[in-house]
């Protein structure tokens, strides 16, 4: 925009992704101040690109003074030690306008994250593909809607309006677009279910409405935010089609659910499958009787599902069937919230979607499933008064803010908002490792994609694993993290794929936990997914991984290296996606274990954690106001014990005892009795295992600890 330099490139956006998206900062500083620190080590070109993205961002905001916009753009440009060109047309009157008022729930970090990740995906397309989409507004919109999180970002609406103002409106929220369609559509528009419309269908309908109404106003260019249209639909002046008494409390919804959509599902007629849903941790819909629709993932549009439903005998216009089938299989996302309902006014519990759609033909009924982590309400909750929902098996519930608030304000807990950003500073504030080591671990993990953290018991391997994963993801989000523990009986069939008995007395091919996790990761290529394996050296690694030993190599990821699995059919191929990271944890003091397979060692980076009884551990106990005498007792005696272990020819450093044993659950509990309980119940049994043939030696060591 502001120079002849070619800034809008994939490599520059990847730098912004590395320094901004993957390295979020929290705190009370302004967005610009935090961004300045995040981009400190980015290239000058990436910093100038950031200034130009900021310019696009400022085209949106009609509620910001032009001099304030210009000051922010200039500051961002000058981070690169260059001067912003003077009197450039894009820095003049255009900044005095704005697409629209973004509203109170505009989140700059999420919006910038979306535009950065979307641009990386854009540059992954061929030049011809980009050109063809830029000449077709609706194809471009379909591509943009396929990007992760686009349906919840105002940037989505902004970009479409800026590029194609004749086809798209300057409305920045889906809720306002739905309200306008509900209020202004007539029979000509053939609107059936506004809440069930895809975003592109919603935009097409708005265009049709504006075109139709323009005939009555030939001398005026119509705008939905100006008279005469605004008075007909704007929520502040005209009630929308929401339940009576519902409060349009957008800030409450954002705090409670973040970007997640909410759906209501009936667990069978009269909720007869509610117990099964919870026991099997699933949600399921039917449409699988005599006219079985089959695997819903085979359909590439809702219209195709609709045609198939007619063909299968679901009626001449099975709108509810095709809509529910499409939304359940294609629109529902991992992280969305499900409400289990009974009838049309009672709710039994809520759940978070943890897996993608799958078709299970061997189930006796309700073969369309998703994995869900359910939470039953203590007692069923009814809607207020005589309010009733629609009698559909599966329906979007996001817009019913009043009902949602009524339900969740009557129970403790409930869904959390979008995970808060999480970066290296957050991790270092919780860990007893130094800055240099943690950054080395994080960089090694990001580069190799496979990492094993090893160390003696009590050094915090499990604790650091979650923080390391959150740093890689960029948010305190466990929805893209899976954890398993290997043991001697763990097998390929548990991990990847295998035949399992079914209810009919036969066998069904079931996908293992790693297979399912890979498929989830494939659906969100721009999001890191972290698979944690505790006690990784307890399993027979070659037996568990099988042919995946090749596929997990960092340079063998993706479709180019896909293989046929042991139990797969001749057409099916499998690969490990590039955005999947494997983190193994290994206890170096477990003598029952054989040497780790050399083939696995070649594929993993290794990092060793050691006991940390000084430095940050000491500072932590001081801040927790642990008695100074007890603090010194812990540090000195455990350090002396570790010296004895380290110098023993049959043990060594891998058998030292970590500091985690002496991190109290509550600082107030850290007294002499607490210390002795740790020694007697945790340290002494471990020492007797180490020196099982020298009990007198253990007696001496334990007595020294107790004094």
């Amino acid at each position: 925009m502001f120079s002849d330099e070619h800034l809008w490139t994939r490599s520059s956006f990847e730098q912004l992704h590395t320094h901004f998206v993957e390295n979020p900062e929290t705190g009370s500083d302004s967005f610009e101040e935090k961004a300045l620190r995040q981009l400190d080590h980015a290239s000058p070109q990436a910093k100038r690109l950031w200034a130009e993205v900021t310019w696009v961002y400022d085209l949106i905001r009609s509620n910001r003074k032009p001099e304030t916009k210009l000051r922010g753009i200039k500051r961002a440009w000058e981070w690169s030690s260059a001067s912003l060109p003077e009197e450039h047309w894009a820095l003049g009157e255009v900044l005095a306008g704005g697409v629209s008022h973004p509203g109170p729930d505009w989140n700059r970090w999420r919006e910038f994250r979306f535009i950065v990740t979307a641009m990386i995906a854009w540059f992954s397309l061929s030049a011809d593909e980009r050109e063809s989409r830029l000449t077709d507004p609706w194809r471009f919109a379909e591509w943009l809607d396929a990007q992760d999180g686009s349906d919840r970002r105002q940037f989505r609406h902004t970009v479409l309006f800026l590029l194609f103002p004749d086809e798209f409106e300057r409305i920045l929220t889906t809720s306002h677009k739905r309200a306008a369609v509900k209020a202004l559509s007539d029979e000509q528009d053939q609107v059936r279910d506004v809440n069930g419309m895809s975003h592109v269908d919603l935009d097409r309908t708005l265009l049709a409405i504006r075109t139709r109404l323009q005939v009555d106003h030939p001398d005026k260019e119509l705008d939905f935010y100006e008279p005469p249209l605004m008075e007909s639909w704007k929520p502040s002046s005209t009630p929308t089609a929401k339940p009576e008494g519902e409060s349009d409390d957008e800030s409450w919804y954002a705090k409670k659910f973040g970007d997640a959509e909410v759906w209501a599902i009936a667990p069978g007629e009269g909720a007869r499958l509610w117990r099964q849903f919870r026991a099997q941790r699933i949600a399921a819909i039917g449409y699988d009787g005599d006219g079985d629709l089959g695997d819903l993932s085979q359909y590439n549009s809702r219209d195709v599902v609709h045609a198939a439903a007619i063909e299968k005998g679901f009626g001449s216009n099975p709108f509810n069937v095709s809509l529910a089938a499409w939304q359940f299989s294609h629109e529902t996302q991992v992280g969305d919230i499900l409400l289990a309902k009974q009838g049309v006014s009672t709710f039994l519990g809520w759940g978070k979607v943890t897996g993608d759609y799958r078709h299970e033909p061997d189930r006796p009924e309700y073969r369309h499933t998703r994995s869900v982590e359910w939470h039953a309400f203590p007692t069923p909750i009814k809607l207020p008064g005589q309010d009733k929902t629609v009698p559909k098996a599966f329906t979007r519930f996001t817009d019913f803010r009043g009902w949602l608030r009524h339900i969740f304000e009557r129970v403790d807990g409930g869904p959390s908002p979008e995970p808060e950003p999480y970066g290296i500073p957050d991790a270092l504030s919780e860990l007893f490792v130094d800055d240099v080591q943690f950054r080395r671990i994080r960089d090694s993990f990001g580069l190799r994609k496979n990492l094993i953290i090893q160390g003696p018991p009590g050094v915090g391997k499990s604790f650091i694993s979650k923080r390391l994963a959150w740093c890689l993801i960029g948010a305190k989000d466990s929805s893209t993290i899976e954890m398993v523990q290997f043991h001697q009986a763990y097998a390929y069939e548990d991990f990847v794929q295998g035949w399992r008995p079914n209810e009919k007395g036969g066998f069904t091919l079931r996908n293992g936990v790693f297979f399912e996790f890979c498929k989830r990761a494939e659906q969100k290529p721009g999001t890191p997914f972290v698979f944690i394996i505790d006690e990784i050296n307890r399993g027979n690694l070659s037996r568990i991984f099988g042919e995946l030993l090749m596929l997990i190599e960092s340079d063998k990821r993706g479709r180019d290296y896909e293989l046929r699995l042991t139990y797969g059919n001749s057409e099916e191929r499998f690969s490990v996606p590039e955005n999947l990271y494997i983190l193994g944890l290994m206890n170096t003091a477990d003598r029952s274990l054989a040497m780790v397979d050399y083939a696995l060692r070649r594929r993993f980076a290794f990092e060793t954690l050691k006991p940390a009884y000084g430095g940050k551990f000491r500072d932590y106990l001081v801040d927790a106001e642990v008695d100074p005498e007890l603090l010194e007792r812990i540090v000195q005696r455990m350090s002396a014990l570790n010296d004895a272990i380290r110098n023993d020819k049959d043990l060594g450093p891998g058998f030292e005892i970590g500091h985690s044993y002496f991190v109290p659950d509550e600082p107030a509990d850290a007294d002499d009795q607490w210390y002795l309980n740790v020694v007697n119940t945790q340290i002494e049994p471990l020492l007797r295992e180490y020196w099982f043939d020298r009990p007198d030696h253990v007696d001496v060591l334990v007595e020294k600890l107790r004094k």
Side-chain angles (χ1 to χ4, degrees), residues 393-407:
F394 187 77
T395 187
R396 188 189 302 271
F397 216 68
T398 299
D399 289 333
F400 300 116
R401 308 292 207 255
W403 285 347
L404 286 170
R405 191 163 190 173
H406 170 83
I407 292 168

Side-chain angles (χ1 to χ4, degrees), residues 189-201:
D189 302 311
Q190 297 183 345
V191 175
R192 293 174 292 184
D193 181 355
V194 175
N195 292 335
M197 280 185 170
S198 70
H199 290 80
V200 170
D201 286 345

Side-chain angles (χ1 to χ4, degrees), residues 276-277 280-285 296 328-329 355-360 363 365-372 510:
Q276 181 191 105
F277 275 25
Q280 298 181 6
R281 301 166 82 176
I282 62 166
I285 59 173
L296 299 178
F328 185 81
S329 59
D356 294 312
Y357 165 79
R358 59 182 181 268
H359 181 233
E360 299 189 45
R363 283 176 60 86
E365 60 176 344
Y366 284 71
R367 298 169 187 145
H368 309 290
T369 69
R370 282 178 172 272
S371 296
V372 176
R510 299 283 186 185

Side-chain angles (χ1 to χ4, degrees), residues 497 509 564-572:
Q497 197 177 65
L509 184 62
R564 177 184 173 186
L565 295 178
T566 300
Y567 296 109
N569 59 46
S570 58
E571 292 81 23
E572 185 180 20

